Amino acid sequence: MRKDVRILLVGEPKVGKTSLIMSLVSEEFPQVVPYRAEEITIPADVTPERVPTHIVDYSEAEQTDEQLSSEISKANVICIVYAVNNKKSIEKVTSHWIPLINDNTDKDSRVPVILVGNKSDLVEHSSMETILPVMNQYTEIETCVECSAKNLKNISELFYYAQKAVLHPTGPLYCPEEKQMKLACIKALTRIFKVSDLDNDGILNDNELNFFQRTCFNAPLASQALEDVKNVVRKNVIDGVCDNGLTLKGFLFLHILFIQRGRHETTWTVLRRFGYDDDLELHQDYLFPLTLKVPPDCTTELNHNAYLFLQSVFDKHDKDRDCALSPEELKDLFDVFPYMPWGPDVNNTVCTNDQDWITYQGFLSQWTLTTYLDVQRCLEYLGYLGYSIISEQESQAAAITVTRDKKIDLQKKQTQRSVFRCNIFGDSGSGKSGFLQAFLGRNLTRQNIVSEEHMSYYAISTAYVYGQEKYLLLHEVFPDFDVLSDTDLACDIVCLVYDASNPHSFEYCARVFKQYFMDTKTPCMMIAAKSDLQETKQLYALTPLEFCRKHKMPPPQAFTCNTADAPCKDIYTKLTTMAMHPHARLRCMCTCNRCTFCHLQNFINSELVQTVKAKLYTAILSRHVTQADLKSSTFWLRVSVGATVFAVLGFAMYRVLLKQRSTQRVQASSVQSGSGTCWQPTARSWTLTSWRFYWPSLTATQTERSATRTLSTW
Ligand code: GDP
Ligand code: MG
């Protein structure tokens, strides 16, 4: 909203400019007036639109042409005053004043003009007949009004119209000559309609209309009023009301009606509430709220509320309910944007279905990516979707969580983040892109149909770490040493990819590691890509395994995307786990959800254990704890005994659970394989002590993997 309004009165001498101002202020006609009234400021609370208003007089006798020019350029609205009984003063409106104003104002932002016929007390007839053709000729004339400073007729109205001409101008909304709404206004109102149509059925039903009314005018519509509105539309437009709701046609008609009846403020209130400025562009403050500050070492994520909103946006556009957006559905979704924000590369950044349509998962992933990489853009996009309005939030910034400084995460050895960035390094042709695409479930055959120019340097999807869903963002770094920037190096985990079948490939990884990551705390992982091909000896002083051992990295992980089905995703879970626990370098990173370690982790994190633990503690504390207790050693003894009993009980329960699950699993696998061979996790030779090393050897992981395939339905 504007801060203030500056009204300038011009016109021939003696038409009554000064008298009009003084009549407004003193509410009586002044017998004696000076040439020029002092500039007056009316405080916001006494003006109808609650905006401070300055009223400025002009007098030829007291002011130079330069002063007049300067006043014209400062004014927000200009009243050209003539006397209805003075023909010459009317002629001068077009011959002198309008051209003078046009000369002193910018062509693109014409200042609104109001024609004021004063001294209406002196004549019987109206000057409107002469004035209307003038009004039609000059579009900058907002309105005209006849008044009398002497009778105090239409004085406050005159200043109200002037204020309104500034605050709610007709110009951007309506073309009086064509009696039509302007295109930009139709576009804006159409977007507003689409945003407000919460179920996307093309009709604003009573609920949606009430929500709309409440957001724009802070009050719901009485049911009778709602019916009245619909009846007016019904009477005037065919298809304006459908299924007892307002169609877009009806909605636009209502606004034309408001404008034609001089109630522009209604349309403007709606437009402004939905973020539009005076030029009917979405306001910068609406799209880019300044409240969001992102300190270094912090990242940006969407919060729960924002995901709920995006979920509803997806649902509203997934008309066939196939959990993916077809090109038409996607186009419809982005119809409220001024441009199509997602190019074809997005389809290669996130998960898509068999038809290459972005899935629900993929949709949320892409939003997560935008939020992480370019939060301003994310705010802009949320603004187009009307997030703050629909979710009834102060601004788009309410959708964003700025994570805690990573240094604190490292200190506390825990993180609340849900997005982790993995930068992928490797020589050209080493298999980086394949590694990215495999995360989206695409094997080599599927990858080969993607055209080069639609490839993406990012891939994002989810991974489950100990039962928690996290986003892993893979970024392929351009393999040119000279152009490595700080963002290429800043990440939660580094992946070094080499082509196991190319003897020259490993050297690049070793070089990147030594130059950039050897002395950092960022965990690194070596990937031996193209493991389906014949492995060759790498031309480097150390073998990859020796290199990893020497630098305390996990052993190289064999990887291939040349698979019949979707490539295996275990590696991505491992990466996410390492990114989440960078300090746990010597712990098992396995997150297969099948081995003993994972079961133990899941058990510890399970709700049952957490509730039992919480209950036990509250019971102990509320029943027994007094100040004296806290000091006494027997109390602490009781607590520790309690905790031990709990731990023993817990472990016993866990054993029982594990046993149950393994029997189930064995049964399931025997039924499925049909051959009677079964996979027995208990028969594995690893014990908890061997978990001190990273994770089981690769062959063991692979055995496990093939077992999963038969057990996938379990
Ligand atoms: P300005 O030069 O445009 O500022 O005009 P003034 O305010 O000085 O008024 C010029 C003369 O017109 C004065 O004698 C006023 O009393 C008179 N006058 C101003 N407004 C009215 C009006 O509404 N009706 C009548 N009858 N006389 C007016
Ligand atoms: Mg005067």
Side-chain angles (χ1 to χ4, degrees), residues 618-667:
T618 16
I620 293 172
L621 287 175
S622 62
R623 236 192 259 161
H624 306 291
V625 182
T626 60
Q627 255 337 79
D629 259 352
L630 283 173
K631 283 187 193 132
S632 90
S633 53
T634 49
F635 166 74
W636 289 111
L637 194 67
R638 281 199 319 256
V639 170
S640 51
V641 168
T644 318
V645 169
F646 169 74
V648 171
L649 269 176
F651 193 69
M653 275 166 74
Y654 157 71
R655 289 285 296 268
V656 172
L657 276 175
L658 189 71
K659 210 169 172 187
Q660 265 180 7
R661 294 185 85 178
S662 2
T663 16
Q664 278 172 10
R665 198 179 283 188
V666 171
Q667 283 159 0

Side-chain angles (χ1 to χ4, degrees), residues 526-568:
M526 195 69 79
I527 307 283
K530 310 192 189 178
S531 66
D532 56 308
L533 302 177
Q534 178 70 43
E535 188 176 346
T536 44
K537 193 176 171 322
Q538 292 294 325
L539 294 173
Y540 190 74
L542 299 174
T543 67
L545 184 64
E546 285 164 349
F547 185 88
C548 289
R549 273 206 193 123
K550 182 176 170 202
H551 295 288
K552 298 196 169 50
M553 264 194 271
Q557 305 285 300
F559 173 82
T560 176
C561 55
N562 193 4
T563 49
D565 303 322
C568 175

